[in-house]
Amino acid sequence: MLKAAGAAGAAVTAATALPGTAAAADSAFAHPGLLHTGADLARMAAKVKAGAAPYTAGFAKLTANRHAQSGWTPNPQATVYRGAGSPQNYATLYNDVHAAYQNGLRYHVSGDSAHADTAVSILNAWSAKLTSVEGSADRFLAAGLYGYQFANAAELVRDHPDFDLARFQEMLTKVFAPLSDDFLVRHNGAVVTNYWTNWDLCAMACVLATGIFCDDRAQVTRAVDYFKHGDGLGAIRHAIPVVSDDGLAEWLEAGRDQGHALLGVGLMGTFCEMAWNQGYDLYGYDDSRFLKGAQYVAKWSMGGEVSYTANTRAKGAIGGWSGRETASAAAGVDPAMTRPIWAMIANHYTKRRGLPASYVTRIAAKSSPEGGGGDYGPNSGGYDQLGFGTLAFTRDRVADTGASPAATAPSHSGARPQTGGQDLAATGPGDIVGWSAAAGVTAVAGGLLLLRRRDRVRRGE
């Protein structure tokens, strides 16, 4: 579908996944199987029906949201623009995406088919009209964020008799995924450290989500490989470059600001959750490095003291303008700032794995019940996560916390529906375009980030 992954990507085979998982076979992925499996959706419905806390509070947040009302009228556009210098209309897209997701989720919990019908109406309207995502460098943010969200919304109603699955898959593979995939290879013609962590992570989430939704195993393999070994700042060892003796790990973007650090943690958690539901344990990768980074951000966001190793990142265009920027300390925080990201992370580590996660657990409790798009302000940052984690990710502790992740068997959850940050890192003057040279990043003594040439051929170049 997209460019070949090259020698490095080709070397990552089904062996990447754990034995007995869906990724070990050359077959379709498990569906539903992005942020929510059939078992997850059934659990939500049963807990709410039983009046169990905190599910009922989480469901009340969903039903109170204006996007979760049946009958929402979509406003599809042929071209979506994001970024300065363009006729920006991307708010229309993210409002409709969240309305589709919230109605789909509300259908699975309540069984009211009017919500499924509404979600399908929104998704079909967009796949019938949207042809491109344009704008400044911010077009890559739009493709990444709204691409992974669109896939998750559609996954909730993929078996609805009126949903045009093939046309929606075509939209994802022709409009959203190519931009995200290209960004991870070329980084918009910039040196690889020009863009902060969250830029990579939203592109990674889009590539993974659309790969699963469209049953494209090569695309999923590329996304998983990038998480582990990618050149950009979204790869896990670049996003979380320093692990301390106290069990916390420095989040690189904490040197930028709190909002973008929270965005990055939420996106990495989203990536890990979607991968987990297809049998890949990225939550536990590199001795649970993500948990250590999430704990760091949680402690820091609640006003705790954290260490930060000074780092310098190169900026600029390949063969063009250049510069450097140094972050020397963790930025200041507002303990009242929150995003709906913590319930998913806390429940994975404490309930699936039985691991201590004191700071993450505390901030999750503080943020409960989590809402979704529309509950965290009117600007785009309030729509970067799909949210509703209190409803969706609260879970009982599993009996075997050491079990390998296993993708669920293809199945349908519930009754078949009836018919009826802002961002961001400046890229310099103008919009950088062009072919990216092979450059990587490594952390060296003192936390200094330096560019180094890769000895191998870059994926797709």
Side-chain angles (χ1 to χ4, degrees), residues 257-275:
D257 61 58
Q258 183 184 9
H260 288 102
L262 291 172
L263 168 60
V265 170
L267 288 169
M268 188 172 284
T270 294
F271 191 93
C272 290
E273 184 69 18
M274 294 188 297

Side-chain angles (χ1 to χ4, degrees), residues 78-84 86-90 130-143 175 179 431:
T79 301
V80 166
Y81 297 92
R82 177 168 176 168
S86 60
Q88 298 193 80
N89 62 351
Y90 68 101
L130 183 65
T131 60
S132 65
V133 174
E134 307 288 349
S136 68
D138 285 7
R139 68 189 184 279
F140 294 108
L141 294 172
V175 177
L179 278 170
D431 190 22

Side-chain angles (χ1 to χ4, degrees), residues 103-283:
N103 271 278
L105 190 62
R106 187 169 179 178
Y107 157 71
H108 281 282
V109 177
S110 70
D112 185 347
S113 62
H115 293 289
D117 294 342
T118 297
V120 168
S121 173
I122 297 167
L123 298 169
N124 282 346
W126 277 92
S127 68
K129 189 167 185 178
L130 183 65
T131 60
S132 65
V133 174
E134 307 288 349
S136 68
D138 285 7
R139 68 189 184 279
F140 294 108
L141 294 172
L145 291 167
Y146 312 134
Y148 96 76
Q149 292 175 359
F150 244 155
N152 271 277
E155 185 80 344
L156 293 174
V157 293
R158 68 181 293 135
D159 295 320
H160 190 290
D162 292 337
F163 177 53
D164 195 329
L165 175 62
R167 191 175 70 198
F168 200 85
Q169 289 175 322
E170 182 179 20
M171 179 187 70
L172 289 177
T173 59
K174 290 185 177 180
V175 177
F176 292 94
L179 278 170
S180 291
D181 194 71
D182 185 73
F183 183 82
L184 295 177
V185 174
R186 295 178 175 82
H187 287 90
N188 198 31
V191 296
V192 73
T193 53
N194 186 77
Y195 292 94
W196 282 101
T197 298
N198 71 86
W199 288 75
D200 263 12
L201 285 171
C202 68
M204 291 160 60
C206 178
V207 172
L208 179 65
T210 58
I212 293 170
F213 186 82
C214 299
D215 292 314
D216 186 329
R217 192 164 302 279
Q219 187 174 339
V220 171
T221 299
R222 286 199 301 277
V224 171
D225 179 51
Y226 196 95
F227 175 91
K228 297 177 179 180
H229 310 297
D231 293 340
L233 298 184
I236 188 166
R237 290 190 184 95
H238 297 157
I240 309 171
V242 180
V243 178
S244 303
D245 292 339
D246 62 3
L248 302 183
E250 296 175 17
W251 190 267
L252 181 68
E253 212 157 2
R256 182 185 183 190
D257 61 58
Q258 183 184 9
H260 288 102
L262 291 172
L263 168 60
V265 170
L267 288 169
M268 188 172 284
T270 294
F271 191 93
C272 290
E273 184 69 18
M274 294 188 297
W276 174 274
N277 287 334
Q278 297 298 335
Y280 298 90
D281 186 9
L282 301 182
Y283 276 119

